[in-house]
Amino acid sequence: GRPMASQVAQEEVAVAATAVGASLASLLGVLFVLCSWACGAGPRVYYLKLVMLLAVANGITAVGYGLSLRRLLPPGASTRPDLGGSGSGRFGATADAPGIHVDGESSGTEDALCGFQAWLVTAGELSSLLWTLAIALALDSQVVRKSVDTGRTERLAHAVCWGVPAAAASLMLVSQSLGPPTPAHREWCWIRGGPYPPRVALELLTFDLPVVACLAACLACYARIARAFRTLGREGAVDTAG
């Protein structure tokens, strides 16, 4: 009925507005980092370059968030969900179906934007985590292992931090693991809702486990770095009083 449609519309606007607001705030931070890197007068330190690349990855995620803006624009009649339960609209498919039935060119465009948003957010989030890990590994390499060879390391970092997220997000998109949480809520598209065992397994392998592994590796690196600084402090090589 109409009250249900009004409630769904209000929830959709709230979620979309939150996503767009987060996107704008993140993009401002990304622009600040990029401008600082471009206009900085100091030397192009390797670690600062990694921070700049992390900002680029965050910018990709922010663009994905910003695509929710499409749900705040006045939609055409054919792009609204069928909330009356008739089964004849664009969401006439059942809620547990792996796909979403769409009608018309505008519906196809919405599905493409939804999938693109989910791909950008997934790839951007994974890339941000990997660049964060790259920063931790670079600091560990210099402080703990006393290695300063950055050329080969940087090339490997680019291959892993851009290639792995793109491949993982593409696998999830091809397997239809990315999309709206429910057919009636398309204001935010990321990992598709629903208990589908093959998709759950793929999500675990391509997103959940890499996230946990990256966080654990970062914690391990910074623990090693902290121990190394404490050792240097005891030896008088660095001042740890501050």
Side-chain angles (χ1 to χ4, degrees):
R2 184 165 300 179
M4 178 183 175
S6 176
Q7 181 180 358
V8 171
Q10 290 175 0
E11 293 176 355
E12 181 175 310
V13 169
V15 172
T18 301
V20 172
S23 171
L24 292 176
S26 182
L27 285 174
L28 287 176
V30 169
L31 289 175
F32 175 78
V33 173
L34 295 181
C35 289
S36 299
W37 169 260
C39 302
R44 293 291 191 264
V45 182
Y46 175 61
Y47 308 103
L48 293 180
K49 185 175 184 180
L50 292 179
V51 173
M52 183 270 295
L53 292 168
L54 171 60
V56 173
N58 288 336
I60 293 173
T61 307
V63 171
Y65 275 81
L67 287 179
S68 289
L69 178 65
R70 72 190 188 280
R71 305 302 290 182
L72 299 177
L73 301 177
S78 62
T79 64
R80 302 305 297 168
D82 178 14
L83 299 173
S86 64
S88 61
R90 66 183 287 199
F91 297 116
T94 59
D96 58 347
I100 297 175
H101 299 169
V102 295
D103 298 312
E105 181 180 356
S106 58
S107 297
T109 301
E110 166 62 24
D111 284 342
L113 286 173
C114 180
F116 185 51
Q117 179 184 43
W119 189 93
L120 280 178
V121 172
T122 302
E125 294 283 8
L126 279 175
S127 185
S128 296
L129 279 169
L130 288 173
W131 281 116
T132 301
L133 177 59
I135 294 171
L137 290 173
L139 292 172
D140 179 86
S141 177
Q142 184 177 34
V143 175
V144 179
R145 291 176 285 158
K146 305 296 191 295
S147 173
V148 294
D149 181 18
T150 60
R152 181 175 175 274
T153 303
E154 183 179 349
R155 290 191 293 271
L156 179 62
H158 277 288
V160 173
C161 296
W162 297 125
V164 170
S170 297
L171 276 174
M172 295 179 71
L173 183 64
V174 169
S175 66
Q176 296 185 340
S177 298
L178 300 180
T182 65
H185 293 82
R186 302 171 64 82
E187 67 279 3
W188 168 250
C189 297
W190 187 32
I191 296 174
R192 188 187 298 274
Y196 308 112
R199 292 184 192 164
V200 172
L202 183 63
E203 176 190 333
L204 285 172
L205 290 174
T206 59
F207 191 84
D208 295 342
L209 291 180
V211 166
V212 174
C214 281
L215 292 176
C218 284
L219 290 175
C221 284
Y222 286 118
R224 281 163 51 92
I225 293 168
R227 286 197 300 268
F229 271 114
R230 284 196 298 267
T231 300
L232 292 173
R234 287 194 298 267
E235 296 172 353
V238 295
D239 182 10
T240 59

